[in-house]
Amino acid sequence: MTAHSLTLGASTFSCQPGETVLETLSRENVHIPNSCRQGICQSCLMRSLDNPPPALAQNGLKDTLKTQNYFLACVCRPEQDMTVALPDYQGALIEARVIQKQLLSPDILRLVLSYETEFNFFAGQFVNLQRPDGLTRSYSIANSPQQDNRLELHIRRLPNGQFSNWAHDEMETGTPLILSQAQGSCHYLPGRAEQPLVLVGTGSGLAPLLGIITDALEQAHSGPIHLFHGSRDLNGLYLMAEMRELAAKFDNFHYTPCLSGETADDDIMQGRVHDIALSVIQNFKGWRVYLCGHPEMVRQTKKMTYLKGASIADIYADAFHVAQPPSSGS
């Protein structure tokens, strides 16, 4: 066995034979979060920026994290040189430019950006978006990676929202913006094309779900795909026509819009979106579950789909921790 170099930021250390990444960093007085030191609590999660980590260092992680080279530092014994980072590492910033603005509803803005620098992402991840004065907000990606050098974001206007109101009212085509590297583990992962997918979202939580659905269909996902999108009012149920066209085009895609506040028309389900999803699908064993939007909806649905058979490893959640306007999702 030989020692391997371990690079974190501007520093490089020697990881001795049989030594874990956590042990090396601790020996060098570099503190990273940790607790159990047995690969169970996952508090020492890190990411390899170059070489894949050993398979044993990824035991217990979601497939989407494994794909992005995340690993557990306390059980990772490097088999080659590694450049590593903490989970919140944003990488090099990317210059982008606004090429399209479109109102999808009175409160939801579709923003399309173009970029020239190499930028890799998975559909459903999010980016930190920075305007020229430095103000930064996080938004989910609503398109698939197959759309060359373009990024689509859905920006909900929030009461007193500095960034959202600027984007709706003042931002112009051609405005330069800065993107962080894509982040998050709530995204489509090819490999089990026959697995049924259920996606439940509220308000602008539709954005990442739209990206995931588009990516799945473009990669010929053959299993059933069920989207449940909820809102308190009709303004929150944006892109209904587009979703119905997609359902007419693909036999395995099913779309259910839900209204919890206003009285629904015959073609819209009445009630809270997660209650409807849980009543339509009785058993979630073998399903992959995606949940995006209001934190309470995400929390309740994550619990209930698990109790109804979904594996915790197959539940992907992205709660939108922002102040919601009156017309937000249910």
Side-chain angles (χ1 to χ4, degrees):
M1 299 178 68
T2 59
H4 297 289
S5 67
L6 187 67
T7 301
L8 175 64
S11 301
T12 299
F13 312 103
S14 178
C15 186
Q16 298 302 309
E19 195 173 42
T20 67
V21 169
L22 179 59
E23 289 169 342
T24 299
L25 295 176
S26 297
R27 171 168 51 78
E28 298 290 345
N29 296 316
V30 178
H31 175 74
I32 65 170
N34 69 90
S35 181
C36 74
R37 292 183 175 243
Q38 297 178 22
I40 298 174
C41 72
Q42 300 189 4
S43 61
C44 64
L45 187 70
M46 298 189 75
R47 185 180 184 184
S48 176
L49 303 180
D50 49 9
N51 297 313
L56 288 176
Q58 295 186 308
N59 281 350
L61 297 183
K62 288 183 179 294
D63 290 344
T64 50
L65 291 175
K66 294 178 181 179
T67 300
Q68 298 178 61
N69 284 344
Y70 282 92
F71 66 91
L72 300 174
C74 70
V75 291
C76 180
R77 293 177 170 83
E79 298 171 351
Q80 54 193 322
D81 296 344
M82 296 177 67
T83 300
V84 300
L86 292 171
D88 58 358
Y89 172 77
Q90 295 188 21
L93 298 178
I94 304 296
E95 294 182 359
R97 192 166 296 275
V98 178
I99 61 172
Q100 182 186 355
K101 286 179 60 176
Q102 177 190 4
L103 274 180
L104 300 176
S105 79
D107 293 328
I108 301 289
L109 173 71
R110 171 188 274 151
L111 180 66
V112 182
L113 309 175
S114 67
Y115 53 90
E116 297 183 1
T117 307
E118 182 179 357
F119 178 69
N120 298 314
F121 66 90
F122 294 98
Q125 289 189 297
F126 68 91
V127 294
N128 293 326
L129 186 64
Q130 182 182 115
R131 70 184 193 183
D133 67 356
L135 186 66
T136 303
R137 295 291 184 269
S138 298
Y139 294 102
S140 294
I141 301 172
N143 61 294
S144 73
Q146 281 73 23
Q147 299 178 19
D148 293 341
N149 288 26
R150 291 195 175 196
L151 207 65
E152 178 179 327
L153 311 172
H154 296 173
I155 299 181
R156 173 179 288 280
R157 185 193 290 273
L158 299 176
N160 304 315
Q162 284 183 275
F163 197 108
S164 63
N165 284 307
W166 171 80
H168 277 252
D169 299 333
E170 302 177 43
M171 183 174 57
E172 300 178 347
T173 301
T175 298
L177 298 169
I178 299 294
L179 301 171
S180 72
Q181 297 290 330
Q183 304 172 62
S185 61
C186 188
H187 61 78
Y188 179 68
L189 189 69
R192 289 186 282 175
E194 74 289 344
Q195 184 180 29
L197 310 179
V198 59
L199 307 97
V200 184
T202 56
S204 58
L206 177 63
L209 302 183
L210 175 59
I212 291 167
I213 291 165
T214 303
D215 198 23
L217 293 173
E218 287 177 346
Q219 298 196 53
H221 190 90
S222 58
I225 303 173
H226 288 262
L227 169 64
F228 296 86
H229 183 213
S231 176
R232 291 195 183 97
D233 59 56
L234 278 173
N235 284 339
L237 291 180
Y238 66 101
L239 292 181
M240 277 199 296
E242 288 83 351
M243 293 300 95
R244 286 171 173 156
E245 289 176 7
L246 201 62
K249 182 178 179 181
F250 293 93
D251 292 338
N252 64 325
F253 174 61
H254 311 277
Y255 168 60
T256 305
C258 310
L259 271 181
S260 64
E262 297 180 355
T263 301
D265 295 333
D266 293 339
D267 57 352
I268 299 175
M269 296 286 285
Q270 184 77 53
R272 297 187 302 175
V273 63
H274 58 291
D275 290 337
I276 293 171
L278 292 164
S279 66
V280 171
I281 302 173
Q282 295 293 320
N283 188 341
F284 289 88
K285 184 177 181 179
W287 287 71
R288 179 166 292 190
V289 181
Y290 294 96
L291 310 171
C292 297
H294 193 283
E296 184 60 21
M297 181 281 293
V298 168
R299 186 189 68 80
Q300 290 186 23
T301 314
K302 183 177 182 179
K303 176 182 177 181
M304 291 307 300
T305 52
Y306 173 72
L307 293 175
K308 287 193 169 190
S311 166
I312 196 67
D314 276 337
I315 302 176
Y316 297 85
D318 188 5
F320 287 13
H321 294 283
V322 296
Q324 297 285 355
S327 60
S328 65
S330 61

